[in-house]
Amino acid sequence: MYTLITHSAAETQAVAEKLATLVKAGTVITLDGDLGAGKTTFTQGFGKGLGVTRNVNSPTFTIMKQYQGRLPLYHMDVYRLEDTGDDIGLEEYINGDGVAIVEWSNLIESSLPTERIAITIERIGDEERQLTFVPVGDTYDALVKEVLA
């Protein structure tokens, strides 16, 4: 487990942007945190790091949005799903040719792959956020260490 404090939305986005430059197809990132914690802000920075040119915004009502960059980005908000990711064919995106970012992943824990980067974002001030990275798998551990170096 690794923890980092950011002091602005731009700093949170910069961390995500750096992570995006290092990922490969098949990477799964889960984002958990309260409403307004910064999950979509993180994903916006991640999209920028992948070279996404479209505006990245929350898929709350559509469940999933897809963006094209160096790799496809599958941005999912599973808050409204019942029990599993089967409703949106989660397995198809997780095992696909892109990167899956899943917001509110704790709600579909049993449908997620065992190897992934689990990130929790906590609001600790008006602009400050605590990002806790839990890499599951040796590949992801090395990747997170490189991002936070």
Short mmCIF file of all heavy atoms in Angstrom, two decimals, residues 90-122:
data_model
loop_
_atom_site.label_atom_id
_atom_site.label_comp_id
_atom_site.label_asym_id
_atom_site.label_seq_id
_atom_site.Cartn_x
_atom_site.Cartn_y
_atom_site.Cartn_z
N LEU A 90 -18.78 -6.29 -18.32
CA LEU A 90 -17.53 -5.85 -17.71
C LEU A 90 -16.34 -6.70 -18.14
O LEU A 90 -15.29 -6.17 -18.47
CB LEU A 90 -17.67 -5.86 -16.19
CG LEU A 90 -16.48 -5.38 -15.38
CD1 LEU A 90 -16.23 -3.90 -15.64
CD2 LEU A 90 -16.72 -5.60 -13.90
N GLU A 91 -16.51 -7.99 -18.16
CA GLU A 91 -15.40 -8.89 -18.49
C GLU A 91 -14.82 -8.57 -19.88
O GLU A 91 -13.62 -8.63 -20.09
CB GLU A 91 -15.87 -10.34 -18.44
CG GLU A 91 -14.73 -11.32 -18.59
CD GLU A 91 -15.19 -12.75 -18.41
OE1 GLU A 91 -15.92 -13.03 -17.43
OE2 GLU A 91 -14.81 -13.58 -19.25
N GLU A 92 -15.68 -8.21 -20.80
CA GLU A 92 -15.27 -7.88 -22.15
C GLU A 92 -14.29 -6.68 -22.17
O GLU A 92 -13.31 -6.68 -22.89
CB GLU A 92 -16.53 -7.51 -22.94
CG GLU A 92 -16.41 -7.54 -24.42
CD GLU A 92 -17.77 -7.23 -25.03
OE1 GLU A 92 -18.78 -7.87 -24.67
OE2 GLU A 92 -17.80 -6.31 -25.87
N TYR A 93 -14.57 -5.70 -21.33
CA TYR A 93 -13.72 -4.50 -21.29
C TYR A 93 -12.46 -4.74 -20.47
O TYR A 93 -11.40 -4.24 -20.80
CB TYR A 93 -14.51 -3.31 -20.73
CG TYR A 93 -15.67 -2.96 -21.62
CD1 TYR A 93 -16.97 -3.27 -21.27
CD2 TYR A 93 -15.45 -2.34 -22.85
CE1 TYR A 93 -18.03 -2.97 -22.10
CE2 TYR A 93 -16.51 -2.03 -23.69
CZ TYR A 93 -17.79 -2.35 -23.31
OH TYR A 93 -18.84 -2.06 -24.15
N ILE A 94 -12.59 -5.51 -19.39
CA ILE A 94 -11.44 -5.78 -18.54
C ILE A 94 -10.41 -6.62 -19.28
O ILE A 94 -9.21 -6.44 -19.10
CB ILE A 94 -11.89 -6.45 -17.23
CG1 ILE A 94 -12.56 -5.40 -16.35
CG2 ILE A 94 -10.76 -7.13 -16.51
CD1 ILE A 94 -13.16 -5.91 -15.09
N ASN A 95 -10.86 -7.52 -20.09
CA ASN A 95 -9.95 -8.38 -20.84
C ASN A 95 -9.72 -7.86 -22.25
O ASN A 95 -9.28 -8.60 -23.12
CB ASN A 95 -10.49 -9.81 -20.88
CG ASN A 95 -10.56 -10.41 -19.50
OD1 ASN A 95 -9.64 -10.27 -18.71
ND2 ASN A 95 -11.66 -11.06 -19.19
N GLY A 96 -10.04 -6.60 -22.48
CA GLY A 96 -9.95 -6.05 -23.83
C GLY A 96 -8.60 -5.46 -24.16
O GLY A 96 -7.60 -5.71 -23.50
N ASP A 97 -8.62 -4.61 -25.16
CA ASP A 97 -7.40 -4.03 -25.69
C ASP A 97 -7.09 -2.65 -25.12
O ASP A 97 -6.23 -1.96 -25.61
CB ASP A 97 -7.51 -3.94 -27.22
CG ASP A 97 -8.70 -3.10 -27.67
OD1 ASP A 97 -9.56 -2.75 -26.82
OD2 ASP A 97 -8.79 -2.79 -28.86
N GLY A 98 -7.80 -2.28 -24.07
CA GLY A 98 -7.60 -0.96 -23.50
C GLY A 98 -7.35 -1.01 -22.01
O GLY A 98 -6.92 -2.01 -21.46
N VAL A 99 -7.65 0.12 -21.37
CA VAL A 99 -7.51 0.27 -19.93
C VAL A 99 -8.89 0.53 -19.36
O VAL A 99 -9.63 1.37 -19.87
CB VAL A 99 -6.57 1.46 -19.59
CG1 VAL A 99 -6.47 1.65 -18.09
CG2 VAL A 99 -5.20 1.26 -20.20
N ALA A 100 -9.25 -0.20 -18.32
CA ALA A 100 -10.54 -0.01 -17.66
C ALA A 100 -10.34 0.73 -16.34
O ALA A 100 -9.51 0.32 -15.52
CB ALA A 100 -11.21 -1.35 -17.41
N ILE A 101 -11.09 1.82 -16.18
CA ILE A 101 -11.14 2.52 -14.89
C ILE A 101 -12.56 2.34 -14.38
O ILE A 101 -13.52 2.69 -15.06
CB ILE A 101 -10.78 4.01 -15.02
CG1 ILE A 101 -9.31 4.17 -15.38
CG2 ILE A 101 -11.12 4.75 -13.72
CD1 ILE A 101 -8.81 5.60 -15.38
N VAL A 102 -12.68 1.77 -13.19
CA VAL A 102 -13.98 1.45 -12.62
C VAL A 102 -14.19 2.26 -11.34
O VAL A 102 -13.50 2.03 -10.34
CB VAL A 102 -14.10 -0.06 -12.32
CG1 VAL A 102 -15.50 -0.39 -11.80
CG2 VAL A 102 -13.75 -0.90 -13.55
N GLU A 103 -15.13 3.20 -11.39
CA GLU A 103 -15.49 3.97 -10.20
C GLU A 103 -16.53 3.20 -9.39
O GLU A 103 -17.38 2.53 -9.96
CB GLU A 103 -16.07 5.34 -10.59
CG GLU A 103 -15.08 6.26 -11.26
CD GLU A 103 -15.62 7.65 -11.47
OE1 GLU A 103 -16.56 8.07 -10.75
OE2 GLU A 103 -15.11 8.35 -12.36
N TRP A 104 -16.46 3.31 -8.08
CA TRP A 104 -17.35 2.63 -7.14
C TRP A 104 -17.17 1.10 -7.24
O TRP A 104 -18.12 0.34 -7.13
CB TRP A 104 -18.82 3.01 -7.38
CG TRP A 104 -19.10 4.46 -7.18
CD1 TRP A 104 -19.23 5.40 -8.17
CD2 TRP A 104 -19.26 5.16 -5.95
NE1 TRP A 104 -19.47 6.63 -7.62
CE2 TRP A 104 -19.49 6.52 -6.25
CE3 TRP A 104 -19.23 4.77 -4.62
CZ2 TRP A 104 -19.69 7.48 -5.28
CZ3 TRP A 104 -19.43 5.74 -3.64
CH2 TRP A 104 -19.66 7.07 -3.98
N SER A 105 -15.95 0.67 -7.45
CA SER A 105 -15.66 -0.76 -7.67
C SER A 105 -16.05 -1.63 -6.50
O SER A 105 -16.31 -2.82 -6.67
CB SER A 105 -14.19 -0.95 -8.00
OG SER A 105 -13.40 -0.64 -6.86
N ASN A 106 -16.08 -1.06 -5.30
CA ASN A 106 -16.44 -1.86 -4.12
C ASN A 106 -17.83 -2.49 -4.26
O ASN A 106 -18.12 -3.49 -3.64
CB ASN A 106 -16.36 -1.02 -2.85
CG ASN A 106 -17.27 0.19 -2.89
OD1 ASN A 106 -17.25 0.97 -3.85
ND2 ASN A 106 -18.05 0.38 -1.85
N LEU A 107 -18.66 -1.94 -5.14
CA LEU A 107 -20.02 -2.45 -5.33
C LEU A 107 -20.06 -3.71 -6.20
O LEU A 107 -21.07 -4.42 -6.19
CB LEU A 107 -20.91 -1.37 -5.94
CG LEU A 107 -21.06 -0.10 -5.10
CD1 LEU A 107 -21.85 0.95 -5.86
CD2 LEU A 107 -21.71 -0.41 -3.76
N ILE A 108 -18.99 -3.97 -6.95
CA ILE A 108 -18.96 -5.16 -7.82
C ILE A 108 -17.67 -5.95 -7.60
O ILE A 108 -17.14 -6.56 -8.52
CB ILE A 108 -19.12 -4.78 -9.31
CG1 ILE A 108 -17.99 -3.85 -9.76
CG2 ILE A 108 -20.48 -4.19 -9.58
CD1 ILE A 108 -17.84 -3.78 -11.27
N GLU A 109 -17.20 -5.94 -6.39
CA GLU A 109 -15.92 -6.58 -6.03
C GLU A 109 -15.77 -7.98 -6.60
O GLU A 109 -14.72 -8.35 -7.12
CB GLU A 109 -15.78 -6.62 -4.50
CG GLU A 109 -14.47 -7.15 -4.00
CD GLU A 109 -13.32 -6.19 -4.19
OE1 GLU A 109 -13.52 -4.97 -4.14
OE2 GLU A 109 -12.19 -6.68 -4.39
N SER A 110 -16.81 -8.78 -6.55
CA SER A 110 -16.71 -10.18 -7.00
C SER A 110 -16.53 -10.30 -8.51
O SER A 110 -16.12 -11.35 -9.01
CB SER A 110 -17.94 -10.97 -6.56
OG SER A 110 -19.10 -10.44 -7.19
N SER A 111 -16.81 -9.24 -9.26
CA SER A 111 -16.68 -9.28 -10.73
C SER A 111 -15.34 -8.75 -11.21
O SER A 111 -15.06 -8.79 -12.41
CB SER A 111 -17.79 -8.44 -11.37
OG SER A 111 -19.04 -8.98 -11.06
N LEU A 112 -14.52 -8.26 -10.32
CA LEU A 112 -13.25 -7.64 -10.70
C LEU A 112 -12.12 -8.67 -10.78
O LEU A 112 -12.15 -9.67 -10.06
CB LEU A 112 -12.88 -6.55 -9.70
CG LEU A 112 -13.84 -5.37 -9.66
CD1 LEU A 112 -13.54 -4.49 -8.46
CD2 LEU A 112 -13.77 -4.58 -10.95
N PRO A 113 -11.14 -8.41 -11.63
CA PRO A 113 -9.99 -9.32 -11.69
C PRO A 113 -9.17 -9.22 -10.41
O PRO A 113 -9.17 -8.19 -9.74
CB PRO A 113 -9.20 -8.82 -12.89
CG PRO A 113 -9.54 -7.38 -13.00
CD PRO A 113 -10.97 -7.27 -12.53
N THR A 114 -8.46 -10.28 -10.10
CA THR A 114 -7.66 -10.26 -8.88
C THR A 114 -6.47 -9.33 -9.02
O THR A 114 -6.06 -8.71 -8.04
CB THR A 114 -7.16 -11.68 -8.51
OG1 THR A 114 -6.50 -12.22 -9.65
CG2 THR A 114 -8.31 -12.57 -8.11
N GLU A 115 -5.91 -9.18 -10.22
CA GLU A 115 -4.77 -8.28 -10.41
C GLU A 115 -5.27 -6.95 -10.97
O GLU A 115 -5.93 -6.90 -12.00
CB GLU A 115 -3.74 -8.91 -11.35
CG GLU A 115 -3.09 -10.11 -10.71
CD GLU A 115 -1.73 -10.42 -11.28
OE1 GLU A 115 -1.23 -9.66 -12.15
OE2 GLU A 115 -1.14 -11.42 -10.86
N ARG A 116 -4.93 -5.90 -10.23
CA ARG A 116 -5.38 -4.56 -10.61
C ARG A 116 -4.69 -3.53 -9.72
O ARG A 116 -4.01 -3.90 -8.77
CB ARG A 116 -6.89 -4.44 -10.49
CG ARG A 116 -7.40 -4.62 -9.06
CD ARG A 116 -8.92 -4.59 -9.02
NE ARG A 116 -9.46 -4.65 -7.71
CZ ARG A 116 -9.89 -5.75 -7.10
NH1 ARG A 116 -9.78 -6.91 -7.70
NH2 ARG A 116 -10.39 -5.71 -5.89
N ILE A 117 -4.93 -2.27 -10.02
CA ILE A 117 -4.48 -1.19 -9.14
C ILE A 117 -5.73 -0.62 -8.49
O ILE A 117 -6.59 -0.05 -9.18
CB ILE A 117 -3.73 -0.09 -9.90
CG1 ILE A 117 -2.52 -0.65 -10.63
CG2 ILE A 117 -3.32 1.03 -8.93
CD1 ILE A 117 -1.84 0.35 -11.55
N ALA A 118 -5.85 -0.78 -7.20
CA ALA A 118 -6.98 -0.25 -6.45
C ALA A 118 -6.56 1.09 -5.85
O ALA A 118 -5.55 1.16 -5.14
CB ALA A 118 -7.41 -1.22 -5.36
N ILE A 119 -7.30 2.14 -6.17
CA ILE A 119 -6.98 3.47 -5.67
C ILE A 119 -8.18 4.00 -4.90
O ILE A 119 -9.31 3.99 -5.41
CB ILE A 119 -6.63 4.43 -6.82
CG1 ILE A 119 -5.45 3.89 -7.63
CG2 ILE A 119 -6.32 5.83 -6.28
CD1 ILE A 119 -5.15 4.67 -8.91
N THR A 120 -7.92 4.46 -3.69
CA THR A 120 -8.95 5.13 -2.90
C THR A 120 -8.56 6.60 -2.79
O THR A 120 -7.40 6.92 -2.50
CB THR A 120 -9.07 4.51 -1.50
OG1 THR A 120 -9.36 3.12 -1.65
CG2 THR A 120 -10.16 5.17 -0.68
N ILE A 121 -9.52 7.47 -3.06
CA ILE A 121 -9.28 8.91 -2.98
C ILE A 121 -10.12 9.46 -1.84
O ILE A 121 -11.33 9.26 -1.79
CB ILE A 121 -9.63 9.62 -4.30
CG1 ILE A 121 -8.84 9.01 -5.46
CG2 ILE A 121 -9.38 11.12 -4.18
CD1 ILE A 121 -9.21 9.55 -6.83
N GLU A 122 -9.45 10.13 -0.92
CA GLU A 122 -10.14 10.71 0.23
C GLU A 122 -9.90 12.22 0.25
O GLU A 122 -8.77 12.69 0.07
CB GLU A 122 -9.62 10.12 1.53
CG GLU A 122 -9.89 8.64 1.67
CD GLU A 122 -9.25 8.07 2.91
OE1 GLU A 122 -9.85 8.22 4.00
OE2 GLU A 122 -8.14 7.52 2.80
#
